[in-house]
């Protein structure tokens, strides 16, 4: 874990990728540094800010003024809020508007928003003029601890989530933790699932600390910066070792195969936010690990209790409305990218902080487990 950051200080986490390394600057008020940092990295560049209409209402003016105060010219591209913007249609519009803004090869894109804007704008930056630089300014907790770091960009296809995209690393991430003050509580909470994920993957002491300090992360005290910096450090370390997910990076998918299936079953709608699906998915991954005799039951109980205490759903029965049966859920799990020759690759755990990649899981075992979980409804 990182040391606690003093009030007013900004923490910097370096993502170490040789010639494509970059800083994540974390702290209250760090947005004010956006222009000067870009000017230092790319002297003379212009910027196009891609954001969604809701984020724009709260944070576009401050972003423009942070750029202008360093003498940077900027244009803007607005998209509707929500997962629906990770579509071919919106992607096409963003690319065209970046071209209309006459961005040249030395210019850059600023992705101001949550994971949706980050994935969409990052993918547009990856392909417009065969690749523009971009800067992530994440505005949700999920985006500050996860999606803005690591260079995965993309949009959804009718065949599934995130299936069309590119690896394209940003040149800078500015995680201003005060931007989270305007987040609706439910969206903040959903992002917390990804914070807890880092403890569950490989840092039991971080998970212990979260159990004691999570209320202060929500209320905006120093624990918030500490949790975000620790999460970014964990992600940066994994990405530096395995940028293209040929191995260890898959650990970051803890809870995601179960979670994506539930998200798809709920129609990628407000019924179940991504982070909520991951909270249920992680609880299921621990429950399944217990069922296979890999993890002790009290560890899975602790996961469920902590996520539940933070107000996250932990059971399939908490998804409002009707869900499909076990066959369809298994089908959706199989459509996830983590399937090889009919066998599922899941991230399972021997305990808190002891997750591992389990590459050869029999779908029938998963079916029996899901039948039990669906009966809990
Ligand atoms: N690239 C990656 O590595 C990665 C990792 C995890 C998740 N993701 C993707 O991230 C997406 C989910 O991201 P998200 O949860 O940030 O959702 P989001 O981007 O849709 O944001 C959620 C909502 O919050 C609003 N919002 C954002 N910031 C705000 C603020 N500061 N104040 C008020 N409102 C604000 C947005 O307008 C939106 O309505 C999914 O598409 C998921 O696939 C990507």
């Amino acid at each position: 874990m990182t040391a606690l950051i003093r009030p007013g200080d900004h923490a910097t986490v370096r993502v170490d990728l040789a010639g494509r390394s970059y800083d994540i600057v974390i702290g209250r008020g760090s947005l004010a540094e956006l222009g000067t940092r870009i000017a230092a990295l790319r002297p003379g560049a212009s910027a196009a800010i891609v954001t969604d209409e809701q984020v724009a209402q709260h944070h576009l003016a401050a972003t423009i003024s942070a750029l202008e105060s360093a003498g940077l010219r900027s244009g803007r591209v607005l998209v509707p809020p929500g997962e629906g913007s990770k579509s071919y249609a919106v992607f096409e519009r963003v690319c065209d508007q970046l071209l209309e803004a006459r961005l040249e090869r030395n210019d850059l894109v600023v992705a101001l928003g949550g994971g949706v804007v980050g994935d969409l704008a990052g993918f547009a930056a990856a392909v417009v003029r065969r690749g523009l630089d971009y800067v992530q300014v994440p505005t949700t907790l999920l985006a500050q601890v996860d999606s803005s770091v690591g260079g995965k960009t993309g949009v959804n296809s009718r065949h599934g989530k995130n299936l069309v995209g590119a690896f394209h690393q940003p040149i800078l991430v500015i995680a201003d933790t005060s931007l989270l003050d305007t987040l609706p509580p439910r969206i903040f909470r959903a992002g917390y699932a990804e914070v807890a994920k880092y403890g569950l993957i490989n840092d039991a002491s971080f998970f212990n600390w979260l159990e004691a300090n999570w209320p202060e992360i929500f209320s905006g005290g120093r624990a918030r910066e500490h949790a975000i910096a620790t999460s970014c450090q964990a992600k940066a370390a994994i990405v530096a070792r395995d940028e293209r997910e040929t191995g260890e990076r898959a650990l970051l998918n803890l809870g995601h195969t179960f979670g994506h299936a539930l998200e798809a079953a709920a129609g990628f709608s407000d019924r179940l936010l991504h982070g909520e699906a991951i909270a249920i998915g992680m609880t299921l991954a621990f429950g399944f690990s217990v069922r296979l005799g890999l993890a002790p039951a009290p560890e899975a109980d602790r996961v469920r209790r902590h996520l539940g205490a933070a107000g996250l759903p932990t059971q399939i029965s908490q998804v409002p409305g009707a869900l499909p049966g076990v066959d369809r859920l298994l089908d959706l799990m199989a459509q996830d990218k983590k399937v090889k020759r009919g066998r599922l690759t899941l991230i399972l755990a021997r305990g808190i902080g002891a997750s591992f990649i389990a590459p050869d899981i029999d779908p029938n075992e998963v079916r029996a487990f899901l039948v039990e979980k669906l009966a809990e409804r």
Side-chain angles (χ1 to χ4, degrees):
M1 280 201 289
T2 57
L4 276 181
I5 302 165
R6 288 194 305 275
D9 279 359
H10 298 166
T12 301
V13 173
R14 184 86 175 151
V15 185
D16 221 335
L17 290 165
R20 288 170 298 110
S21 301
Y22 54 95
D23 285 339
I24 310 166
V25 185
I26 301 153
R28 282 199 166 258
S30 60
L31 180 62
E33 295 178 24
L34 179 68
T36 45
R37 284 188 175 259
I38 291 178
L41 289 167
R42 296 289 182 274
S46 301
I49 303 167
V50 180
T51 191
D52 76 37
E53 286 145 8
Q54 189 167 324
V55 173
Q57 276 178 25
H58 296 288
H59 304 299
L60 181 57
T63 306
I64 292 171
S65 88
L67 292 171
E68 280 177 353
S69 65
L72 268 81
R73 284 183 302 115
S74 65
R76 64 223 61 161
V77 177
L78 260 73
V79 302
E83 188 71 28
S85 282
K86 272 176 62 173
S87 65
Y88 290 139
V90 177
F91 174 68
E92 181 183 0
R93 199 160 60 66
V94 171
C95 291
D96 281 340
Q97 286 188 245
L98 292 177
L99 292 167
E100 279 156 29
R102 301 199 180 280
L103 282 201
E104 295 175 4
R105 287 297 298 273
N106 183 47
D107 296 333
L108 44 79
V109 173
V110 173
L112 172 69
V116 164
V117 164
D119 284 9
L120 173 72
F123 186 35
V127 297
V128 167
R129 294 195 185 279
R130 297 205 177 84
L132 296 169
D133 286 333
Y134 75 114
V135 173
Q136 290 271 18
V137 183
T139 64
T140 62
L141 180 59
L142 178 139
Q144 295 198 348
V145 299
D146 193 357
S147 60
S148 66
V149 176
K152 278 193 184 177
T153 72
V155 295
N156 303 326
S157 135
R158 67 190 166 83
H159 295 284
K161 213 168 137 62
N162 300 330
L163 291 182
V164 177
F167 283 97
H168 186 47
Q169 298 291 345
I171 61 164
L172 173 70
V173 180
I174 299 280
D176 183 336
T177 53
S178 72
L179 304 192
L180 307 183
D181 294 344
T182 57
L183 265 184
R186 184 179 171 200
I187 295 174
F188 188 97
R189 207 180 303 124
Y192 182 73
E194 305 278 7
V195 176
K197 183 181 79 176
Y198 294 106
L200 296 178
I201 289 175
N202 62 5
D203 192 346
S205 68
F206 183 46
F207 191 82
N208 295 342
W209 181 85
L210 289 174
E211 284 178 315
N213 292 283
W214 69 268
E216 199 189 320
I217 298 173
F218 282 63
S219 65
R222 282 169 70 195
R224 181 184 289 179
E225 277 77 47
H226 179 63
I228 293 171
T230 304
S231 301
C232 286
Q233 221 167 36
K235 180 147 186 188
I238 290 180
V239 167
R241 290 192 293 263
D242 179 22
E243 184 184 6
R244 297 263 163 165
E245 199 170 310
T246 54
E248 184 191 2
R249 186 166 177 171
L251 289 172
L252 297 170
N253 298 326
L254 175 66
H256 281 57
T257 301
F258 287 113
H260 278 170
L262 291 171
E263 233 184 321
F268 296 111
S269 67
D270 276 0
R271 277 173 65 196
L272 188 66
L273 303 179
H274 176 72
E276 293 170 343
I278 298 314
I280 300 176
M282 292 193 300
T283 313
L284 291 175
F286 269 76
F288 189 56
S289 301
V290 171
R291 183 189 168 91
L292 296 184
L294 295 164
E299 293 282 273
D301 289 343
R302 232 177 112 193
V303 175
R304 189 178 39 72
R305 270 201 311 275
H306 177 56
L307 296 174
L312 285 161
T314 55
Q315 288 191 334
I316 298 178
S317 60
Q318 287 169 279
V319 181
L323 283 178
V326 69
D327 288 329
R328 177 72 186 136
L329 283 180
L330 266 176
D331 201 36
L332 288 167
M333 286 179 77
Q335 272 176 25
D336 206 60
K337 288 161 289 181
K338 296 107 195 166
V339 177
K340 279 196 189 113
R341 282 176 232 87
R343 307 288 279 189
L344 285 167
T345 296
L346 294 179
I347 309 305
L348 299 179
R350 296 197 171 83
I352 287 164
S355 297
F356 66 98
I357 303 167
D360 192 28
I361 297 294
D362 180 354
N364 289 321
E365 289 271 12
V366 182
R367 167 191 295 274
F369 173 70
L370 282 177
V371 166
E372 273 174 28
K373 295 292 142 188
L374 284 164
E376 283 174 2
R377 281 178 77 80

